Amino acid sequence: MSGHHDLAAVSLRVREHVIRMASGGGCFIGASLSCTDLLVHLYHRVLRLSPATLTDPDRDYLFLSKGHDVPALYGTLAELGYLPAERLRRHLDPGDHLYWHPNRAIPGVEFHSGSLGHLLSVATGVAVDIKLRGGPGRVFVVLGDGELDEGSVWEAALVASGRGLDNLVAIVDRNGFQANIETEALVPLEPLADKLAAFGFAVRTVDGHSFAALDAAFATLPLAPGRPAAVIARTVRGRGIPSLEARADRWFMRLSAADVEALLAELHGGPRAVLAAEGLVVR
């Protein structure tokens, strides 16, 4: 099992991959950087899953419901040998499947996502199947906080609670932003822990960038027998690059080669990058 120092090194490499994937056609860089530590921790410390067990019906499952964050997933899978790291250079290449959202043609991707709000329902169905088979597998689904505006999320939560799916873990990447606006300024979510608890979930709130805190949060599963779990991971959009952190306008970026090099240098402790790429704002 990897130590915290090792995980930090892996997260650094995954962030490098994300930055490089923001060149060319660009990627959703801010939210990908916010969930990098979560994905690295889950794949290294929690999931009973490996490239050799991708078709094992008793494996654990991870669904990335906030599919626009897939560069962080691609990078994590590459670091673990699910696909060659060199393949990440083909991000958005029409001849490959490394696109803006997860595609099952990529080893390790369990289900397509992109239209938000769907994968908690898919994960709930898989968790029901596991219960019916009497299998040992657990199902983890990573959701965006802005994604929680979707009614289908709460419909799935009702079913998961009603079926007593204690093999299901919903993880909210609580970076506080939805596209280029703060969640609490658009459709307020707080008190989020109370809402999830009212829907029958056992809830924990954790620092999503602390591997020690994440260890503690996932140390004992299920969190409560007979109840699905929800882990609210408080994160920072653009984590690891101070000039991008908590920026409303830096959720999606198309970087030049010079921008990439400037951000990689900042990631490794260099000066704050001055970028040619403009921030993207939609209304």
Side-chain angles (χ1 to χ4, degrees):
M1 181 177 286
S2 302
H4 297 163
H5 178 75
D6 296 331
L7 292 185
V10 175
S11 282
L12 186 67
R13 294 195 296 272
V14 172
R15 286 187 165 90
E16 291 173 345
H17 293 315
V18 171
I19 292 168
R20 292 189 176 101
M21 278 184 273
S23 62
C27 79
F28 294 89
I29 187 171
S32 296
L33 293 172
S34 75
C35 72
T36 292
D37 296 324
L38 282 173
L39 292 173
V40 167
H41 182 271
L42 287 166
Y43 274 93
H44 284 79
R45 307 276 286 201
V46 181
L47 293 170
R48 297 192 290 252
L49 182 66
S50 73
T53 61
L54 284 177
T55 59
D56 185 341
D58 290 337
R59 71 187 183 279
D60 286 345
Y61 293 76
L62 184 134
F63 295 96
L64 184 64
S65 192
K66 49 179 309 194
H68 54 287
D69 293 5
V70 76
L73 179 61
Y74 291 155
T76 301
L77 294 176
E79 287 296 320
L80 285 167
Y82 288 78
L83 69 158
E86 295 76 21
R87 188 177 174 186
L88 300 181
R89 299 174 186 171
R90 301 188 65 184
H91 182 236
L92 303 185
D93 185 327
D96 207 328
H97 295 92
L98 291 162
Y99 200 62
W100 277 314
H101 297 103
N103 188 307
R104 288 191 64 206
I106 306 300
V109 174
E110 295 283 5
F111 204 84
H112 302 281
S113 60
S115 295
L116 295 170
H118 294 287
L119 261 60
L120 185 59
S121 296
V122 173
T124 295
V126 173
V128 169
D129 173 71
I130 291 170
K131 286 287 189 181
L132 292 173
R133 291 189 286 108
R138 301 156 319 162
V139 186
F140 300 80
V141 55
V142 178
L143 301 116
D145 47 4
E147 182 180 9
L148 301 185
D149 291 353
E150 299 283 356
S152 54
V153 172
W154 301 97
E155 293 172 15
L158 286 171
V159 174
S161 176
R163 295 296 294 260
L165 299 181
D166 55 8
N167 58 344
L168 177 67
V169 183
I171 304 158
V172 179
D173 181 9
R174 186 71 170 111
N175 64 31
F177 284 94
Q178 180 175 350
N180 55 264
I181 191 169
E182 294 182 7
T183 59
E184 302 311 288
L186 187 61
V187 180
L189 293 171
E190 296 299 337
L192 181 55
D194 292 345
K195 289 183 171 72
L196 289 164
F199 273 70
F201 281 66
V203 184
R204 286 183 181 166
T205 300
V206 64
D207 179 348
H209 299 301
S210 166
F211 295 120
L214 290 168
D215 276 343
F218 292 104
T220 305
L221 293 174
L223 298 186
R227 297 172 65 191
V231 176
I232 301 170
R234 298 205 172 271
T235 63
V236 177
R237 173 184 278 189
R239 176 72 172 199
I241 305 178
S243 65
L244 301 186
E245 287 185 357
R247 289 276 299 272
D249 62 332
R250 294 302 194 184
W251 60 297
F252 181 92
M253 296 184 70
R254 296 184 181 93
L255 300 177
S256 67
D259 286 343
V260 168
E261 293 308 312
L263 287 179
L264 289 173
E266 184 179 352
L267 179 69
H268 286 272
R272 293 171 70 94
V274 178
L275 304 178
E278 296 182 357
L280 181 63
V281 176
V282 295
R283 285 288 185 264

